[in-house]
Amino acid sequence: MGVKNLWDILESCKKTLPLHHLQNKRVCIDLSCWIVQLQNVNKSYRPQTDKLFLRGLFHRLRALIALNCGLIFVSDGSIPAIKLSTYRRRLNSGSEVTQDDKNLDKMSSLRRNMGSEFSCMIKEAKALGLSLGVPCLEGVEEAEAQCALLNLESLCDGCFSSDSDIFLFGARTVYRDIWLGERGYVVCYEMDDIERKLGFGRNSLITLALLLGSDYSQGVRGLGPESACQIVKSVGDNVVLQRIASEGLSFVKRAKNSKKEGRSFKCNNKEESLNQEINVNGADHSLQRETPFSQVIDAYSNPKCYSADSEAVHRVLAQHLFQHARLHQVCAQFFQWPPEKTDEYILPKIAERDLRRFANLRANTLALGVDLPLQKVPVKCPITGIIKSRKLQGKECFEVSWEESYGLKSSVVPADLIESACPEKIVEFEERRALRQPKKSKPKSSAAEIDQKLQALMLDIESENSTSSNASFSSRVVMSEDWTAATEIDLTRRQDLLLDAESKSNANMSCYPTGSTAAKAEIIDLVSPSPVQCQNVSRIREMSDQPINTIELSDSETEKSPELERKARALRMFIASIRDDIS
């Protein structure tokens, strides 16, 4: 429970951070709070025998292990004497409290009943955690007090707890809840934000516990959270506890009377005066004014915990190894999983954790000014190579092959992790891929673009075809009209030339003597057409006597102009490109 209404008071300081925020951090876990959360989620769906709370714990742990988050379980020890009445009230019958009330003054705390159902659940959670390399520290009394001390001493970066009184024990960073999934996150509260935004330090929070009620006190009847906050702020964090030690809660009465005259506060033991009887630890007997407040203040200010330099703390701070064979036994016992299914869940996370540790090593050496190549790093890179690029949930990833990692051959890890751990592997992968694919594939055209190009090309071809046909028809008509006249003019001219040549030849021959010794002159007709030409002329004359049909004079119908050939070739290439896009 913690302090009544304290989470509501701290609402303005709540932050929702991505799960990745916990990367490379060490956190303490109030194990009882986690078990209660997981039990409340799953108890309405299946019976307790299905161990759903333990499966939920397993998946929380594997998600944090993949982030290289150092985890420490902290469990409750003995029940503080000041809390016995509250504990008994929660259990209705006090099933875990066996000591008689009359001996409470002689005991500082009371051992828990380790045979209860909840204690057995804690034991099973510890066994699962140890197999995963998560140690457990059993507190002297309150688990949240031990977590707070480790955080206050900077031995961990934060605490997982849903008990709001962890701030009263001195915690600085508290993670109230965790959510796994595609966009996993944690709900975080930091004491720095509480002090800056609300003006409440640790002393003020302890005072709120006295006014509103907590595990150690029942508070003041009729006093709400807003009034309590105003009263504490009016006094100030530095002097509020001294004020209570000297005056009790009478200043609360005066502050209330200043707003509403004539009205007084009553405590939960239904007495009329705060100065006479205050019910702090559940006992209805009169005490001195300072005694009950001092007990509550001391319980929060100086809780019973293992000190930071104790052997128990040093033991849990040491690195604990992942116990592969032991995990197989635990999962087979609680979940009835075969070893293959267990490995499928946990081995990729273990490998990813090892890669993050390797990335941290390289980052630390680089921060010291030493930039070592991958081959000279003292620790061997856990990755042998990149198989292919992948995309999971919209995030760039790589499928990689591993060195000896409990038999794991390959898995998928984020690309940014590879970039920070071993960017040389990315360079090698890109070079191999460039050799396998020397040519980049052409971007595929959309259906609309293909249709538009095809229509434009067909229109060009049709326009070219019609232009060629018109030009051919015009030329052939002109030839059919003028061919006869041109042929007749040509034949008349050839006859005239032939007659001139014959007359000149006869004149020349009369000038030379004739005889047997003289060679007979040979006359060569250079003007007359050849027999082949005469045949063509006769054919033309025969054709000129008949009506000319333009279709008969046309050349082969398959004749194509160079431009038409070019368009046809472009069409064939375009259709081939469409086939490539479809295939």
Side-chain angles (χ1 to χ4, degrees):
M1 170 187 164
V3 181
K4 186 178 179 181
N5 296 325
L6 184 56
W7 288 123
D8 297 331
I9 295 173
L10 304 180
E11 180 68 20
S12 61
C13 302
K14 181 175 72 173
K15 296 187 294 185
T16 301
L17 303 175
L19 194 61
H20 195 75
H21 169 78
L22 298 177
Q23 176 180 333
N24 302 324
K25 295 183 181 296
R26 174 183 285 162
V27 295
C28 295
I29 299 170
D30 186 346
L31 188 55
S32 298
C33 291
W34 268 23
I35 296 300
V36 170
Q37 288 178 354
L38 296 169
Q39 186 185 24
N40 291 337
V41 169
N42 296 312
K43 68 181 181 180
S44 59
Y45 296 98
R46 291 187 181 181
Q48 182 65 29
T49 55
D50 287 347
K51 306 292 183 184
L52 287 184
F53 78 94
L54 205 57
R55 293 192 189 192
L57 178 63
F58 172 77
H59 290 298
R60 282 190 180 186
L61 294 178
R62 62 188 284 268
L64 296 177
I65 286 173
L67 295 174
N68 190 32
C69 184
L71 304 174
I72 300 175
F73 281 161
V74 180
S75 62
D76 291 310
S78 301
I79 304 171
I82 197 173
K83 190 179 178 180
L84 286 178
S85 61
T86 303
Y87 210 95
R88 183 174 61 250
R89 186 171 63 252
R90 291 177 183 174
L91 298 176
N92 295 326
S93 60
S95 58
E96 293 198 17
V97 181
T98 58
Q99 184 65 28
D100 193 68
D101 288 344
K102 63 182 180 181
N103 296 324
L104 291 179
D105 294 336
K106 300 179 181 179
M107 297 183 61
S108 59
S109 60
L110 190 66
R111 289 185 58 85
R112 298 176 186 272
N113 180 7
M114 302 306 294
S116 66
E117 181 180 1
F118 189 79
S119 296
C120 291
M121 295 170 66
I122 295 292
K123 185 177 180 181
E124 293 171 353
K126 289 180 180 180
L128 177 63
L130 288 174
S131 64
L132 291 170
V134 179
C136 183
L137 174 62
E138 183 176 343
V140 178
E141 291 184 345
E142 298 276 43
E144 61 266 30
Q146 187 68 63
C147 291
L149 183 139
L150 295 177
N151 187 215
L152 186 62
E153 296 290 339
S154 300
L155 297 179
C156 69
D157 299 297
C159 312
F160 271 102
S161 180
S162 57
D163 285 340
S164 58
D165 56 0
I166 190 172
F167 293 105
L168 283 64
F169 290 117
R172 303 297 300 177
T173 302
V174 178
Y175 303 103
R176 184 183 180 186
D177 203 357
I178 180 174
W179 178 263
L180 306 180
E182 180 180 351
R183 297 181 180 179
Y185 64 87
V186 289
V187 177
C188 177
Y189 297 81
E190 294 193 74
M191 198 63 189
D192 291 340
D193 296 334
I194 297 173
E195 293 171 349
R196 184 180 68 257
K197 293 182 179 181
L198 302 179
F200 292 152
R202 186 178 178 184
N203 295 338
S204 299
L205 297 180
I206 293 175
T207 305
L208 288 177
L210 293 171
L211 300 179
L212 300 175
S214 67
D215 293 341
Y216 298 163
S217 65
Q218 294 188 19
V220 177
R221 181 181 294 275
L223 186 64
E226 293 184 3
S227 300
C229 291
Q230 292 176 1
I231 293 172
V232 172
K233 286 182 179 180
S234 64
V235 178
D237 184 74
N238 295 329
V239 298
V240 64
L241 292 183
Q242 292 82 349
R243 186 85 173 268
I244 292 175
S246 60
E247 302 179 17
L249 295 181
S250 58
F251 73 93
V252 179
K253 179 180 178 180
R254 290 195 297 270
K256 187 68 176 178
N257 287 337
S258 64
K259 297 180 180 180
K260 296 182 180 180
E261 295 181 359
R263 182 177 177 182
S264 61
F265 287 102
K266 294 183 179 181
C267 298
N268 284 347
N269 60 6
K270 299 182 180 181
E271 295 293 333
E272 293 182 356
S273 176
L274 290 170
N275 296 329
Q276 294 179 356
E277 296 182 8
I278 302 294
N279 182 8
V280 177
N281 59 0
D284 297 333
H285 56 278
S286 297
L287 296 173
Q288 291 182 359
R289 182 176 57 191
E290 301 85 357
T291 303
F293 301 125
S294 63
Q295 287 181 358
V296 175
I297 294 172
D298 185 66
Y300 286 123
S301 302
N302 302 295
K304 294 182 179 180
C305 303
Y306 290 110
S307 62
D309 58 352
S310 64
E311 182 181 353
V313 171
H314 288 171
R315 186 173 60 252
V316 297
L317 293 179
Q319 191 174 29
H320 291 70
L321 299 177
F322 166 58
Q323 303 178 26
H324 192 197
R326 177 58 182 163
L327 181 63
H328 284 169
Q329 297 175 3
V330 171
C331 292
Q333 177 184 354
F334 296 142
F335 311 140
Q336 291 75 48
W337 287 352
E340 295 78 12
K341 185 173 183 178
T342 302
D343 290 345
E344 181 182 355
Y345 275 126
I346 196 61
L347 290 186
K349 304 300 182 182
I350 296 294
E352 185 175 339
R353 179 198 64 184
D354 294 340
L355 184 60
R356 292 189 189 277
R357 291 177 177 177
F358 183 79
N360 291 341
L361 175 63
R362 299 201 70 182
N364 292 335
T365 56
L366 186 61
L368 295 175
V370 181
D371 188 7
L372 295 176
L374 185 62
Q375 295 78 8
K376 294 184 179 181
V377 177
V379 180
K380 189 175 182 180
C381 179
I383 289 180
T384 59
I386 299 176
I387 300 174
K388 60 182 177 181
S389 59
R390 299 280 295 272
K391 202 166 193 178
L392 296 181
Q393 299 175 351
K395 187 176 182 180
E396 295 294 335
C397 300
F398 286 114
E399 183 177 350
V400 300
S401 57
W402 299 96
E403 292 283 355
E404 298 180 1
S405 180
Y406 303 99
L408 180 65
K409 295 182 179 180
S410 64
S411 66
V412 179
V413 295
D416 57 352
L417 176 57
I418 305 293
E419 180 68 30
S420 61
C422 45
E424 298 86 349
K425 298 293 183 181
I426 299 180
V427 175
E428 294 176 3
F429 171 70
E430 295 293 345
E431 291 176 352
R432 292 198 310 269
R433 185 166 62 176
L435 293 176
R436 290 195 302 266
Q437 300 176 356
K439 295 182 180 180
K440 295 183 179 180
S441 60
K442 297 181 179 179
K444 295 184 177 181
S445 301
S446 63
E449 293 176 353
I450 293 174
D451 185 64
Q452 185 178 1
K453 291 180 181 179
L454 187 58
Q455 289 180 3
L457 191 57
M458 293 299 295
L459 288 174
D460 291 344
I461 293 175
E462 289 177 1
S463 62
E464 176 66 21
N465 199 2
S466 61
T467 304
S468 300
S469 300
N470 294 335
S472 176
F473 178 78
S474 300
S475 63
R476 287 170 184 171
V477 169
V478 172
M479 289 178 64
S480 64
E481 293 175 353
D482 299 339
W483 182 262
T484 303
T487 304
E488 292 177 353
I489 293 171
D490 185 63
L491 290 175
T492 304
R493 183 180 180 185
R494 285 174 180 254
Q495 289 178 356
D496 294 338
L497 291 175
L498 182 60
L499 292 175
D500 292 340
E502 288 179 353
S503 62
K504 290 180 182 180
S505 175
N506 293 331
N508 291 334
M509 289 179 62
S510 61
C511 297
Y512 293 93
T514 59
S516 58
T517 59
K520 190 175 182 178
E522 183 179 359
I523 299 174
I524 300 174
D525 188 1
L526 298 176
V527 180
S528 300
S530 64
V532 176
Q533 291 177 342
C534 293
Q535 292 177 1
N536 291 337
V537 170
S538 62
R539 187 189 309 168
I540 293 172
R541 287 181 176 178
E542 293 176 358
M543 293 175 62
S544 64
D545 296 337
Q546 301 176 0
I548 297 175
N549 192 339
T550 57
I551 297 178
E552 293 178 357
L553 290 177
S554 66
D555 295 328
S556 173
E557 293 183 2
T558 60
E559 180 182 4
K560 300 176 182 177
S561 67
E563 183 67 19
L564 191 62
E565 287 285 352
R566 186 183 65 80
K567 295 292 184 178
R569 185 165 55 253
L571 178 60
R572 288 193 296 270
M573 293 175 63
F574 181 68
I575 294 174
S577 66
I578 293 176
R579 290 197 188 100
D580 294 339
D581 289 341
I582 295 175
S583 60

